[in-house]
Amino acid sequence: MAFRILKLTPNFARMMSTNATTVGFVGLGQMGNRMATNLINKGYKLNVYDVSSDACDAMKTKGAKVFGNTRELAKSSEFVITMLPNNDIVTQTYEEMIKDGVNSNTLFVDSSTVDPNVSKYVQKIVKAAGASFVDAPVSGGVMGAQNATLTFMVGGTTDEYNKVKGFLEGMGRKITHCGTTGMGEAAKICNNMMLAISMIGTAETMNLAIRMGLDPKVFNEIINSSTGRSWASEVNNPVPGLNPTAPPSDNYNGGFSAALITKDLGLASSVATETNSPIPLGALSHHIYRMMIAKGLGNKDFAVIYDFIKNNSK
Ligand code: NAD
């Protein structure tokens, strides 16, 4: 009897390996629950944990196994991904998760936006416990998480990047190796500082143009085919009505909150102080967004800065 040797295409080979892979997911909020759902849809076995039992129950109905603590979750997972709010929670979660020991083949991935020094500390304690860690923060927001089109910025060794790339492709479209531990967070923080500056710049420019008598639609077409173009002008223009499906056209609901960009600008200020780098516009943006929060606008999309500038124009 003749045997035919089957040639596996890379995609087929990946599908076969993902089906056998168990992923632990910690932090099932706005981003995490969508990212975890994509992994389930792609055939991964999911172990989940969140301090919110509602968040866990929602994932259980999709087929995930809920754990009562992160220590047991990590021991039963080949990859562990954390998607948590801030520096302190990420640090505490990792200290707790690894304190009873880890499997040496588990690769831990933190996709939260935190200080690169937190990533370096966590990498050190995970390595000392015998496993590996990469930082892999994301860009693309809730829609990117929903559609599995996130950009992942990875900090770690080339070997770790190669191990984690296929798994991250289950949640994202572009997976870039940014350098050693913490460099993923460095890229993320710098990108978001640029985003905040360009959003404020777009808002004040649009307001000036409108007050001078320009039609916002006409002027926006000019910006977007000229050198003033940015994501803020093209995709999420802060003037209501210019991007009909974007948050500014829905009273700034949904989207990327002013509270989150303020947090990211705080991280930028901290690393700028540490590296003695002048960030005059980054620091001013931080100040402006802190005012937005003080005005009770923390939950609104960060494009709400346009409303603030417009209302302060006489
Ligand atoms: P979120 O507040 O919606 O979700 C955080 C989740 O973590 C919640 O479900 C919360 O219950 C859980 N949690 C809090 N403490 C915990 C603990 N000790 N153990 C386990 N779970 C805990 O936040 P999000 O919008 O999903 O953002 C998560 C991270 O991703 C943040 O670092 C944020 O900066 C970053 N991020 C967010 C966006 C966005 O558009 N929302 C985009 C890119 C990056």
Side-chain angles (χ1 to χ4, degrees):
M1 193 166 112
F3 288 97
R4 275 204 322 153
I5 297 172
L6 275 176
K7 269 196 169 172
L8 298 184
T9 63
N11 272 347
F12 187 57
R14 193 182 304 137
M15 263 170 58
M16 289 186 67
S17 71
T18 58
N19 284 339
T21 307
T22 304
V23 175
F25 211 114
V26 180
L28 305 163
Q30 290 291 330
M31 298 291 288
N33 92 74
R34 292 172 169 87
M35 293 160 73
T37 301
N38 282 326
L39 290 175
I40 289 179
N41 292 342
K42 290 189 175 143
Y44 286 89
K45 287 189 196 145
L46 259 279
N47 294 332
V48 297
Y49 174 79
D50 193 293
V51 286
S52 153
S53 54
D54 286 351
C56 291
D57 289 347
M59 289 311 301
K60 193 175 175 183
T61 61
K62 295 179 182 175
K65 183 173 175 188
V66 177
F67 279 71
N69 67 68
T70 54
R71 299 183 306 280
E72 297 303 320
L73 170 143
K75 283 187 189 146
S76 317
S77 308
E78 289 154 69
F79 292 100
V80 172
I81 180 160
T82 46
M83 196 54 178
L84 295 164
N86 59 41
N87 289 344
D88 287 349
I89 292 178
V90 168
T91 303
Q92 286 156 15
T93 297
Y94 276 92
E95 286 173 346
E96 160 71 17
M97 183 154 53
I98 66 169
K99 75 179 184 195
D100 291 347
V102 290
N103 292 332
S104 59
N105 63 348
T106 301
L107 181 42
F108 292 82
V109 180
D110 183 34
S111 285
S112 326
T113 305
V114 292
D115 191 310
N117 290 314
V118 169
S119 310
K120 287 177 191 163
Y121 168 74
V122 169
Q123 189 270 347
K124 213 165 121 189
I125 60 170
V126 170
K127 193 174 173 202
S132 320
F133 169 87
V134 296
D135 50 305
V138 300
S139 184
V142 170
M143 287 316 292
Q146 175 87 26
N147 299 327
T149 55
L150 292 169
T151 293
F152 281 87
M153 299 159 239
V154 182
T157 64
T158 303
D159 190 37
E160 287 160 350
Y161 168 73
N162 289 334
K163 278 190 193 140
V164 85
K165 187 170 181 281
F167 154 63
L168 296 182
E169 278 166 353
M171 299 172 283
R173 197 157 50 190
K174 188 158 172 58
I175 322 296
T176 300
H177 187 200
C178 299
T180 52
T181 308
M183 289 304 109
E185 296 291 356
K188 167 71 183 171
I189 291 169
C190 290
N191 175 74
N192 279 22
M193 184 177 86
M194 182 69 226
L195 176 66
I197 293 168
S198 62
M199 178 55 80
I200 297 170
T202 305
E204 67 183 38
T205 304
M206 292 302 302
N207 185 55
L208 175 64
I210 291 165
R211 287 173 64 80
M212 287 170 72
L214 280 157
D215 178 330
K217 217 170 168 180
V218 170
F219 179 60
N220 197 36
E221 277 172 27
I222 298 294
I223 299 191
N224 289 337
S225 57
S226 304
T227 46
R229 186 177 71 243
S230 68
W231 180 88
S233 68
E234 204 163 24
V235 179
N236 200 56
N237 194 294
V239 178
L242 293 182
N243 296 111
T245 57
S249 299
D250 183 23
N251 196 25
Y252 303 98
N253 288 320
F256 187 47
S257 72
L260 276 182
I261 197 88
T262 309
K263 171 196 139 181
D264 295 352
L265 288 164
L267 294 171
S269 290
S270 168
V271 292
T273 304
E274 190 187 319
T275 56
N276 204 18
S277 310
I279 52 160
L281 295 183
L284 182 57
S285 305
H286 190 203
H287 177 68
I288 290 171
Y289 275 111
R290 284 205 306 266
M291 287 198 306
M292 300 285 97
I293 292 186
K295 295 219 165 283
L297 298 170
N299 287 329
K300 293 285 188 182
D301 181 80
F302 74 126
V304 74
I305 180 63
Y306 170 74
D307 207 43
F308 178 76
I309 288 172
K310 187 183 84 180
N311 292 335
N312 281 289
S313 311
K314 281 250 180 253

